[in-house]
Amino acid sequence: MGGRVDESCVLDDGPWTHRFVGANGSRFHVVEAGTGPLVLFLHGFPEFWWAWHDVLPRIADSGFRAVAIDLRGYGASDKPPRGYDGYTMAADVTGLIRALGERNATIVGAGAGGMIGWAAAAFHPKLVNRLVVLGAAHPLRLRAALFADPRGQFAASSSALRFQVPRYEHVLTRDDAALVGELMTGWTGPQWRETPEFADYVARCREAMQIPQAAFCALEAYRWVFRSALRLQGYRFVKLMQKPLITPTLQLHGGLDTATLPRTAQGSGRYVLAPYEWRLIGEAGHFLHQEATDVVTGEVLRWLKSN
């Protein structure tokens, strides 16, 4: 890789359009295909919009306006020093729905993007008509598991604990962001890990994490989760998240996910009043949208078309 990385590395051509949209006080890079009801895709850590490059055209071809974004701090979106708390990132998403000229959308979120999806649906229920969450427990389930399951979820979250160390972003980006590759290798199921597609994907994610400020911004979201646990702002967030979701929610999870354990995610349905489904995808790890693209695309389309 070598040399200086800039935002142009994420502007890949394909059957989609790149543009920049202002929302919630920041400028977001959005990648768009198709027309119809809006489906907004949120990537996780340590990814960027490319997480959805296989899914996006398929959803667009099925009669939807499919839009993948770079989250605040990632890819070609703005990288402000603040705003990585759960409230602001949820408001980014709902602000984008409005900025894209829509009254509501289906949100599909993976990993950290799934956590934002949970919060967006809880805080702004009128704007989220359906939710699909991949590889992410409801934030309150995750919080409970960190305390109650020390050998399981707490151990699985050890990398997020390391992210609390000041200036750890320099560790993350060292040697062409080698640590990004190590984390992804550890969180992925063995079937996909052995493929050339995996190697290509890791190379792209490592490159995107070296965009100036991206690593700092990515870690700030994790830092907020831990810092806020001891603060009033975090207490308020927990109180708001206790309100049950009125958004129909589909939760997909990899049976081999070592970042968010299936047993951590599985109790999330208790926070959903609306129709809710849980599906475990046996041979997949944390990156379901890449590891089981066909299954995920089929499930998203089924959920979009369900009553």
Side-chain angles (χ1 to χ4, degrees):
M1 280 171 224
R4 188 173 159 80
V5 173
D6 65 37
E7 293 178 353
S8 63
C9 73
V10 303
L11 302 178
D12 292 85
D13 288 334
W16 45 65
T17 308
H18 293 273
R19 59 194 186 101
F20 291 88
V21 175
N24 200 27
S26 287
R27 191 183 78 140
F28 292 89
H29 171 223
V30 307
V31 184
E32 195 171 352
T35 55
L38 177 61
V39 186
L40 197 61
F41 291 91
L42 313 177
H43 64 80
F45 172 87
E47 304 175 282
F48 61 106
W49 78 268
W50 186 256
W52 306 105
H53 75 282
D54 281 333
V55 177
L56 205 65
R58 302 191 203 184
I59 300 296
D61 288 346
S62 300
F64 294 92
R65 182 185 183 192
V67 176
I69 69 164
D70 282 331
L71 295 177
R72 166 184 295 259
Y74 284 85
S77 287
D78 274 357
K79 297 169 185 63
R82 289 181 193 78
Y84 300 94
D85 57 277
Y87 303 99
T88 305
M89 295 190 83
D92 285 348
V93 172
T94 50
L96 270 165
I97 293 169
R98 289 201 187 94
L100 290 164
E102 303 285 352
R103 293 162 74 168
N104 53 39
T106 293
I107 292 178
V108 182
M115 300 286 276
I116 296 166
W118 283 116
F123 297 168
H124 309 279
K126 291 195 172 84
L127 287 158
V128 184
N129 54 20
R130 276 188 170 63
L131 177 65
V132 183
V133 175
L134 288 71
H138 186 280
L140 301 190
R141 273 294 302 158
L142 180 61
R143 188 185 167 93
L146 286 171
F147 293 109
D149 189 5
R151 291 196 172 159
Q153 189 58 53
F154 187 81
S157 300
S158 60
S159 53
L161 290 169
R162 290 205 303 274
F163 295 165
Q164 307 307 304
V165 176
R167 299 177 71 76
Y168 196 80
E169 54 271 16
H170 300 295
V171 179
L172 192 64
T173 52
R174 191 184 294 155
D175 301 326
D176 282 336
L179 181 57
V180 167
E182 287 170 32
L183 291 170
M184 293 178 77
T185 300
W187 292 343
T188 299
Q191 289 185 348
W192 188 50
R193 198 184 299 146
E194 306 304 323
T195 65
E197 288 77 19
F198 175 69
D200 173 71
Y201 191 57
V202 167
R204 286 173 180 274
C205 291
R206 286 175 61 182
E207 185 178 34
M209 195 56 75
Q210 293 175 72
I211 293 169
Q213 297 304 314
F216 167 79
C217 297
L219 298 188
E220 276 296 282
Y222 285 93
R223 289 168 179 157
W224 178 79
V225 169
F226 282 87
R227 281 197 306 249
S228 70
L230 307 168
R231 293 184 186 168
L232 185 62
Q233 192 192 34
Y235 173 75
R236 275 201 221 103
F237 182 80
V238 166
K239 290 295 280 184
L240 282 168
M241 289 303 301
Q242 283 169 347
K243 203 168 71 173
L245 258 64
I246 57 168
T247 303
T249 302
L250 171 65
Q251 192 172 6
L252 307 175
H253 211 88
L256 305 178
D257 191 335
T258 53
T260 303
L261 303 182
R263 66 176 184 245
T264 300
Q266 194 154 17
S268 302
R270 74 174 67 163
Y271 296 102
V272 185
L273 272 179
Y276 168 83
E277 282 185 31
W278 159 269
R279 179 166 177 196
L280 199 65
I281 299 174
E283 297 303 306
H286 187 59
F287 301 100
L288 287 178
H289 43 298
Q290 292 283 322
E291 300 180 56
T293 308
D294 292 348
V295 176
V296 166
T297 305
E299 286 291 296
V300 169
L301 285 171
R302 180 178 70 81
W303 201 243
L304 283 167
K305 292 169 181 175
S306 64
N307 293 323

